[in-house]
Structures are given as structure tokens and as C-alpha cells.
Amino acid sequence: MLRSHVRWIVSAVAVITLLLTAFVAVPALRASAAGDPSREQDYLALGDSVAFGYSPLLDPHREANFIGYPSPVATALDEHLTNAACPGEATGGFISLTGTDNGCRFYRANFSLHTGYSTDQLAYAVQFIESHPHTRLISIDIGANDLFVLQHQCGGSVSCVQAHLPGLLATVSANLDTIYGAIRNTAKYTHQLVALTYYSLNYGDQVTTAVIGQLNAVIISRTLAWGGAIADGFGAFAAASHNGDTCAAGLRIALPPPLGGGCDIHPSVAGRNVLAAAVLAVVRHNNGQGDGNH
């Protein structure tokens, strides 16, 4: 399965010319670049392609077609969504425009995000929080693209990935501390902060699933250390999978033959809703008690 990730990464730029326009059945809640400070409840979504709602079946020139899990979360909570996520965003690129990147900068140079900004995503988040004092929820998913970069550098070698994984996890941990430190201390955000853990493509693949589990362990550790909460995307996909296979369960986007068949790594509408439910479960459980400072 590690090798399947690498094949997807290497072919991503070539595939983009074959993108097809598709209809999405769930109504979109358009994210606003400016937000609405007059609203009592603002919701800022941060992260990568999962939060962005990326699909290889949609026209990348029409960003409104991309609907990630933050949209149904915002609808259910009646909150005003600003989605700043960027496809291919890694923890280093989240912090700096020269940091480790798995395609976010390419995407931003060629297509529009839900929310336009010229800074790195962290600087935008801090600015948003400071200018929107009624922000009561921030969600984030970040770290998987760090792993994809390592897989690419290792050329699909499992032993290479395993050898360099401790260093990568240490980097992700340090970068998460930087991200959360800026949100909590610089922007002085004290309300709900929810991190979504990553799912495995096939839970029967013990090697890949174990690697994802180690990445999630770092995400969980650092999020809790900064007063955040965890939405169990890993467990939610496992529970909804078909004997561990998320493609067979329809949780990932089914690809037509011109795009290789099988499933893309990104969530389908059903998968997106499973992730949204995981986030909502945490927010509703906290019920206003999830606010916290580091």
C-alpha cells in the first residue's frame, strides 16, 4: 500500500489534465475569504486536501465544487465556515512558503483555494483568528503529506520509509508545536481546536496501517498537549470499511478506467460524511467545554 501512495504521487501532475467535471449531491457551503465578523459562530478549517475536499473527478478551476468534511460540519452547527485548506499541504509548508511541500504551492499557483491568501496557511490562520473574535471552532488535518514526501524520496522502499520514519515523526511533532503555539499563544485562541486523525486505505495492510497509526499518535499527542480534542477519523473509517477495505466500502472516490480504475486516496461523499460525523461527535460531546489553553 505504501507503493500505491507513491504511484499516486508520481502520477498526480499527469492525471490533472484528465480531470472531469462531476456533480456533487451534497449542497456546498461556500467558504468566504473574509469571513463574517458579525456572526456569533465562526468556524476556521485548516489542513490539506481532505479538508479542502479534493477530488480528481472535478474541474480544479471551479473550487466551489470541492466539498470537504468541514462543510457538513458547518451546516450541522450553523456556523460560518472559512476553509483555508490546501491540497498537498505538509506541516513544513503550513508554517513557511519555503517549507516541505507535496503540491500545495503548485496548486495555489494554478488554481484557486476556497479562501485566497498570499501567506503561509499558519500566518493566515493567526490573522483570521485575530480579526474574527467570534471564532469558536478550528479543525485541522495535517501530516499525511509529510509521509507522502518521504515515500516519494524512498522510491517506494518500505525499509527506507521505516528507517527514516522516526526523524519524520519528530519533525511533524515539532511543526505541530509551532502551529498550535501560534494558534494558542500568538493568536490567543482559547476555544475548540479539533484535529482529525488519518484513515488507512486498507486496514488489512498491517504495514501501512501501522505507519499511519504512528503518525496519528504524534498528532494525538501534540493536539492534546495544546488543549485540543481528537476526532477519530482512523477509527471511523475502520468501522465503516468492508472487512478493512475502504474502497470496497465506498469510502473513497471510485475512479473511472481513464484514471486507472479502483479508488483514489481521497474520501468519497460517503467518506466525507463519515469524517464530518467524527468531528461533530467531538464538538457536540465537548458542548462548549472543549475550550482550553495550553
Side-chain angles (χ1 to χ4, degrees):
M1 188 57 64
L2 288 172
R3 292 180 177 84
S4 69
H5 284 312
V6 174
R7 287 195 296 270
W8 180 85
I9 296 166
V10 172
S11 63
V13 174
V15 166
I16 205 167
T17 59
L18 299 175
L19 296 174
L20 306 174
T21 301
F23 176 79
V24 179
V26 178
L29 179 64
R30 283 296 303 273
S32 167
D36 183 357
S38 67
R39 289 291 298 264
E40 287 301 313
Q41 299 287 329
D42 277 308
Y43 167 23
L44 175 63
L46 305 171
D48 54 29
S49 57
V50 179
F52 180 81
Y54 179 78
S55 168
L57 304 182
L58 301 178
D59 181 356
H61 294 94
R62 301 183 64 185
E63 73 280 357
N65 287 338
F66 297 104
I67 305 172
Y69 65 86
S71 289
V73 170
T75 299
L77 298 175
D78 192 26
E79 294 182 340
H80 183 269
L81 172 64
T82 297
N83 189 335
C86 180
E89 188 80 285
T91 59
F94 191 101
I95 294 168
S96 169
L97 292 178
T98 60
T100 300
D101 178 58
N102 190 43
C104 172
R105 288 194 285 272
F106 170 84
Y107 198 93
R108 288 178 63 173
N110 292 276
F111 311 111
S112 297
L113 301 181
H114 293 298
T115 301
Y117 51 92
S118 59
T119 65
D120 56 72
Q121 195 171 159
L122 180 56
Y124 175 79
V126 170
Q127 178 274 326
F128 180 92
I129 296 165
E130 291 176 339
S131 62
H132 293 74
H134 297 295
T135 302
R136 292 297 181 267
L137 173 62
I138 295 176
S139 67
I140 183 170
D141 63 274
I142 196 74
N145 283 292
D146 294 71
L147 180 58
F148 292 164
V149 169
L150 174 60
Q151 291 171 342
H152 179 66
Q153 292 171 342
C154 285
S157 168
V158 175
S159 60
C160 173
V161 170
Q162 292 175 328
H164 291 88
L165 187 60
L168 178 140
L169 295 178
T171 297
V172 170
S173 179
N175 287 344
L176 286 174
D177 280 338
T178 298
I179 292 167
Y180 291 148
I183 290 173
R184 291 301 199 194
N185 297 335
T186 304
K188 303 188 185 306
Y189 179 76
T190 61
H191 304 290
Q192 288 200 81
L193 173 61
V194 178
L196 178 70
T197 58
Y198 289 100
Y199 51 87
S200 178
L201 302 186
N202 191 326
Y203 290 83
D205 181 348
Q206 297 181 1
V207 174
T208 301
T209 301
V211 171
I212 294 170
Q214 292 181 68
L215 174 63
N216 284 336
V218 171
I219 293 170
I220 292 168
S221 171
R222 301 328 303 153
T223 303
L224 295 179
W226 287 94
I230 299 298
D232 187 10
F234 181 89
F237 257 51
S241 67
H242 178 72
N243 295 324
D245 189 344
T246 60
C247 180
L251 298 176
R252 293 188 284 123
I253 298 167
L255 297 174
L259 292 180
C263 285
D264 184 60
I265 66 172
H266 294 94
S268 62
V269 172
R272 176 188 70 209
N273 291 339
V274 166
L275 297 179
V279 174
L280 284 168
V282 172
V283 174
R284 286 169 170 163
H285 175 75
N286 287 340
N287 192 28
Q289 299 174 12
D291 299 354
N293 243 330
H294 177 61

